[in-house]
Amino acid sequence: MFEKEVYIKRRSELKRALGRGVAVFFGNHEVAINYPSNTYRFRQDSSFLYYFGIDRPGLVGVIDVDKDNDFVFGDDIDDEDVIWMGDIGTIYDEALKSGLCCIKPLSEMYGYFRDVIKSKREVMFLPQYRFKNMIVIEEVLGIKPQTVNGYASLKLIRAVAEQRLKKSEEEIEQIKKAINISKGMYEIAFDKVREGITESQLLAECEAYAIENGVWLSFPTILTKRGDILHNTRHDGVLNRGDLVVMDSGVETELHYASDITRTIPVGNMSRLQKDIYDIVDSAQRSAIAKAKEGVRFLDVHLESARVIAEGMKGLGFFRGSIDGIVESGAYAVVYLHGVGHPLGLDVHDLEGLGEDYVGYSDSIKRSNKFGLRYLRFAKQLKEGYVMTVEPGIYFISALIEKWHNHQRFSDFVDYDALKGMIGFGGIRLEDDVLIKREGAEVLSKDVRRF
């Protein structure tokens, strides 16, 4: 945990933003893999961690704005659990570290919420992604699980998003710590990649480094020579000379702050064409990062990367016509179909669970319906203290190329014969983590090895 003053300040800021009501944060529970006592690795809810810092299952945090009171409902483990888990201390000890006055037993939670509802005070909670918590909400608030997220508080979502997006110095240090461990993983990947090694063998070498350094993964690692499958988490390929390996990985620190970095690694030397396309992606990333600063819309950072990709791919004969036409029409998305990046923090896709349209968009900046651009997770203006990923890529996806060709989509701009000749090439992506400042962006992952 951070110092208790950090959590006290965060809760106080949230109270000022909300003005009134009761904000409830449902911590996560243990989740069974295939029978009750065989559970997945526990991961606390990120917003619960942000405001309370207690990394234990089965807790409910309350920020009572009306009464200026913060506390947690929860029970300590019993004597039998101690046999299996050891003496892990009391929740009250953790509460003191979080600057809380008290811990209340779970049995008191139901009466508390009955009184709150009876007094007609506003109860606010965030969208839920764990079914167990939906059941708890039904028990204490009487809302059916299938309708829970329809009752999530938009006021609370926006207040939490605004607060969590801007990273404090201690949060930035945690992200840097995660990046530093990622740096070691990529050193191993570059050193160990070779003809004949399997993707799973290379993955094992890299992930072992993370575990040796006392951290865990922030998401399942993408390590594949099939870079055209954007979220390919299969690792059954054997690397051959001439392959391009896309490795998209991250770790999270003991306080659960994440890194998220992608490199494209050649097996042997790159061919001339591979290097040309790699250089386009590299230029697109550098141009996007150069544009990112406070006050600039992240949408415009994305469009800057799209323009560089359109120019480069036109130069290689894959596109034709005006660059403005290629970008404005969305024709570039046949090879660059995802957004340029996303916020990073306690979640690797920070705050995504609260709803991208609430976190990354606004009343004045709405999500586009265009293919490709609609996958941009964050579009609104950047502010100092945001940590963002910047990750353009070029991919040759057989099904997409065939579909667009069959429908003659953007045929004025796209040379489908040239694109079809690239099927089997795979893909190239580069991703770094950047800190937004008033005059520009600081690349936090600048020291992570790249080709």
Side-chain angles (χ1 to χ4, degrees):
M1 294 174 68
F2 294 122
E3 296 296 321
K4 66 180 181 181
E5 288 76 17
V6 170
Y7 301 102
I8 294 170
K9 180 182 178 182
R10 288 173 176 177
R11 295 192 295 266
S12 295
E13 289 177 356
L14 183 63
K15 289 176 201 172
R16 286 195 293 272
L18 294 175
R20 62 183 177 84
V22 178
V24 189
F25 295 87
F26 295 91
N28 284 335
H29 298 258
E30 298 278 12
V31 177
I33 299 173
N34 56 343
Y35 57 87
S37 62
N38 186 27
T39 60
Y40 291 98
R41 180 176 179 271
F42 175 70
R43 176 52 158 87
Q44 184 61 283
D45 175 74
S46 294
S47 289
F48 185 93
L49 280 173
Y50 185 82
Y51 291 106
F52 297 95
I54 306 175
D55 200 2
R56 291 195 186 189
L59 306 178
V60 176
V62 175
I63 299 178
D64 191 327
V65 183
D66 301 325
K67 297 185 177 181
D68 192 21
N69 192 18
D70 317 325
F71 54 89
V72 166
F73 289 108
D75 295 330
D76 284 312
I77 63 173
D78 60 27
D79 292 341
E80 286 195 18
D81 287 331
V82 171
I83 296 171
W84 302 101
M85 300 171 63
D87 185 359
I88 60 174
T90 67
I91 302 172
Y92 180 70
D93 293 334
E94 299 295 305
L96 292 178
K97 295 176 185 176
S98 183
L100 295 168
C101 66
C102 57
I103 290 287
K104 300 186 178 186
L106 284 170
S107 60
E108 294 184 10
M109 179 170 62
Y110 307 96
Y112 171 81
F113 283 107
R114 279 197 302 270
D115 291 343
V116 169
I117 293 168
K118 186 177 180 180
S119 63
K120 297 182 179 180
R121 293 203 285 150
E122 182 180 12
V123 179
M124 298 166 281
F125 58 85
L126 298 173
Q128 301 299 308
Y129 52 91
R130 294 275 182 94
F131 191 71
K132 173 66 175 178
N133 281 335
M134 295 179 185
I135 297 296
V136 173
I137 289 172
E138 181 182 28
E139 291 173 346
V140 299
L141 299 178
I143 302 170
K144 295 295 184 183
Q146 60 268 33
T147 64
V148 159
N149 284 341
Y151 289 87
S153 167
L154 183 56
K155 180 170 72 170
L156 182 60
I157 289 170
R158 287 178 168 160
V160 170
E162 183 69 19
Q163 193 174 354
R164 280 184 53 192
L165 278 170
K166 189 177 178 64
K167 302 299 185 291
S168 63
E169 286 299 322
E170 59 265 12
E171 290 180 288
I172 293 167
E173 286 305 310
Q174 283 289 311
I175 294 170
K176 287 180 178 178
K177 183 176 180 179
I179 289 170
N180 191 53
I181 295 172
S182 285
K183 176 185 174 183
M185 293 173 67
Y186 280 99
E187 290 291 339
I188 290 169
F190 274 91
D191 288 343
K192 298 289 186 178
V193 70
R194 66 181 185 278
E195 185 174 17
I197 194 173
T198 66
E199 292 170 349
S200 59
Q201 287 170 331
L202 187 58
L203 177 73
E205 297 261 13
C206 296
E207 293 190 351
Y209 181 85
I211 296 169
E212 288 169 2
N213 280 271
V215 300
W216 204 252
L217 306 177
S218 52
F219 60 96
T221 301
I222 299 165
L223 191 158
T224 178
K225 63 180 183 179
R226 288 294 308 276
D228 53 310
I229 304 174
L230 299 188
H231 283 175
N232 187 9
T233 54
R234 294 182 60 181
H235 310 291
D236 54 0
V238 179
L239 303 188
N240 299 308
R241 185 167 295 277
D243 287 338
L244 295 175
V245 178
V246 174
M247 180 173 165
D248 185 341
S249 70
V251 302
E252 59 175 39
T253 66
E254 67 277 6
L255 297 187
H256 300 291
Y257 285 86
S259 58
D260 185 7
I261 298 163
T262 305
R263 295 291 185 258
T264 300
I265 308 169
V267 183
N269 295 320
M270 284 190 186
S271 69
R272 180 69 265 171
L273 182 58
Q274 286 175 333
K275 185 64 166 60
D276 287 343
I277 295 173
Y278 181 96
D279 286 346
I280 294 170
V281 176
D282 183 68
S283 295
Q285 190 199 35
R286 293 179 190 278
S287 294
I289 291 172
K291 192 172 185 67
K293 63 179 179 180
E294 184 172 65
V296 172
R297 299 185 307 173
F298 204 56
L299 169 62
D300 294 323
V301 175
H302 172 83
L303 293 174
E304 175 66 20
S305 68
R307 176 171 291 275
V308 174
I309 285 174
E311 290 173 343
M313 293 297 279
K314 179 181 177 181
L316 292 179
F318 297 105
F319 292 151
R320 53 180 171 248
S322 74
I323 299 302
D324 286 344
I326 295 168
V327 174
E328 290 169 8
S329 68
Y332 68 87
V334 72
V335 295
Y336 177 27
L337 61 158
H338 59 74
V340 73
H342 53 80
L344 178 74
L346 275 168
D347 306 306
V348 69
H349 289 174
D350 211 21
L351 297 151
E352 185 174 309
L354 304 190
E356 288 178 4
D357 286 350
Y358 299 130
V359 175
Y361 291 82
S362 65
D363 292 339
S364 60
I365 303 177
K366 301 294 186 181
R367 186 184 293 272
S368 171
N369 288 322
K370 291 180 182 177
F371 179 82
L373 195 55
R374 69 171 176 254
Y375 298 126
L376 180 62
R377 293 187 167 98
F378 192 99
K380 66 185 184 183
Q381 286 185 332
L382 298 168
K383 294 184 180 180
E384 185 175 28
Y386 288 9
V387 176
M388 310 292 295
T389 69
V390 179
E391 50 178 307
I394 292 175
Y395 316 90
F396 299 94
I397 302 170
S398 175
L400 181 61
I401 294 169
E402 290 287 349
K403 181 178 180 180
W404 280 30
H405 188 207
N406 290 339
H407 290 86
Q408 286 297 295
R409 293 196 67 186
F410 308 118
S411 56
D412 290 343
F413 297 119
V414 180
D415 187 327
Y416 286 105
D417 289 335
L419 284 182
K420 285 185 174 183
M422 296 298 292
I423 292 173
F425 178 96
I428 293 173
R429 181 166 66 254
L430 296 171
E431 177 183 20
D432 282 283
D433 305 334
V434 304
L435 171 63
I436 302 303
K437 297 185 173 181
R438 291 184 182 179
E439 302 301 325
E442 177 188 350
V443 183
L444 300 178
S445 53
K446 66 182 184 302
D447 293 330
V448 176
R449 187 169 169 182
R450 61 198 290 147
F451 175 75

